[in-house]
Amino acid sequence: GESVGLHLPTLSVQEGDNSIINCAYSNSASDYFIWYKQESGKGPQFIIDIRSNMDKRQGQRVTVLLNKTVKHLSLQIAATQPGDSAVYFCAETMNTGFQKLVFGTGTRLLVSP
Amino acid sequence: DAGVTQSPTHLIKTRGQQVTLRCSPKSGHDTVSWYQQALGQGPQFIFQYYEEEERQRGNFPDRFSGHQFPNYSSELNVNALLLGDSALYLCASSPQTLNYGYTFGSGTRLTVV
């Protein structure tokens, strides 16, 4: 399938640390990327997005970096809080017409108080 | 303003049976997409509906079918259920055909026994 993730990587951090979650995307034609947070028993929740004509975008406590040369995305969370504990997915798509989201593997973030 | 509503939240079915899952999109959204999320994996695109027609389909067999109604709500039907169909089924809505603005529901947890 397009989303492979039999083994979910885990990132464990302490409250207050900065977290960096990485993602490799698959399609060089993708021009729109989204990070989602998914808590147990819930659907994915939008965090931040970035278009391919940008290499960095900042939100509240979050920053997304895009490196098109190596097809890599990262999500940086500043001053991580216990409420940030969840599974994080990157998704790629082409922002034209009837397109689908292709999700990455996912990373579980565990934040200790 | 209600977001995306899915029903039921949980469902247990027997192999070979048929199931229908329902989705009401966020107010103002007219495009509905369905995703399947197996345990520990990222969501995989099933299909997308706009103006009551299937516009895009992922790599899923014909046992998976759908429908969109004039009020933009949607159903996902799965026939001849297999154990491997056990998953969280997510509905996402968006305005028109734009990929940004995707909003996910909390999903229906389907267990096939």
Side-chain angles (χ1 to χ4, degrees):
Chain A
E2 293 153 325
S3 175
V4 293
L6 295 177
H7 304 288
L8 204 59
T10 300
L11 174 65
S12 296
V13 301
Q14 295 280 77
E15 182 177 3
D17 287 351
N18 295 331
S19 303
I20 299 176
I21 300 172
N22 296 303
C23 174
Y25 65 91
S26 59
N27 188 349
S28 57
S30 294
D31 59 8
Y32 180 60
F33 306 88
I34 312 164
W35 278 100
Y36 286 95
K37 172 186 181 183
Q38 188 173 26
E39 297 174 287
S40 182
K42 296 184 178 180
Q45 177 188 357
F46 174 92
I47 301 173
I48 191 168
D49 59 2
I50 188 167
R51 299 179 193 279
S52 59
N53 61 353
M54 305 172 67
D55 52 22
K56 180 179 180 179
R57 190 165 188 224
Q58 290 183 294
Q60 186 177 13
R61 285 201 305 118
V62 293
T63 300
V64 55
L65 299 178
L66 173 63
N67 185 330
K68 295 182 288 293
T69 302
V70 295
K71 295 192 290 186
H72 183 268
L73 276 169
S74 68
L75 176 69
Q76 300 177 0
I77 304 174
T80 313
Q81 303 167 359
D84 294 327
S85 294
V87 177
Y88 289 80
F89 291 98
C90 68
E92 60 181 294
T93 190
M94 288 181 281
N95 199 27
T96 55
F98 299 101
Q99 297 297 338
K100 59 187 177 185
L101 293 177
V102 177
F103 284 80
T105 303
T107 297
R108 184 180 307 279
L109 177 64
L110 296 175
V111 183
S112 305
Chain B
D1 177 29
V4 177
T5 304
Q6 291 187 244
S7 63
T9 54
H10 295 83
L11 201 53
I12 299 174
K13 289 287 189 178
T14 303
R15 275 180 299 174
Q17 285 189 314
Q18 179 264 345
V19 68
T20 298
L21 311 181
R22 295 176 175 83
C23 172
S24 293
K26 182 177 179 178
S27 178
H29 288 186
D30 56 10
T31 302
V32 173
S33 302
W34 287 91
Y35 289 78
Q36 180 195 66
Q37 186 175 23
L39 200 61
Q41 298 189 22
Q44 291 204 34
F45 176 77
I46 304 175
F47 41 53
Q48 183 180 72
Y49 278 85
Y50 172 68
E51 291 188 335
E52 303 178 49
E53 289 189 18
E54 184 182 292
R55 301 291 180 167
Q56 180 79 215
R57 188 178 182 92
N59 296 325
F60 281 82
D62 292 345
R63 298 187 298 109
F64 289 77
S65 63
H67 189 77
Q68 185 179 34
F69 298 94
N71 67 352
Y72 310 124
S73 67
S74 177
E75 288 182 349
L76 164 66
N77 300 292
V78 186
N79 294 322
L81 283 166
L82 304 173
L83 295 179
D85 295 332
S86 295
L88 180 68
Y89 288 85
L90 295 162
C91 173
S93 70
S94 57
Q96 298 178 2
T97 62
L98 301 175
N99 283 307
Y100 52 86
Y102 250 68
T103 301
F104 281 86
S106 292
T108 294
R109 171 69 63 187
L110 172 64
T111 302
V112 182
V113 297

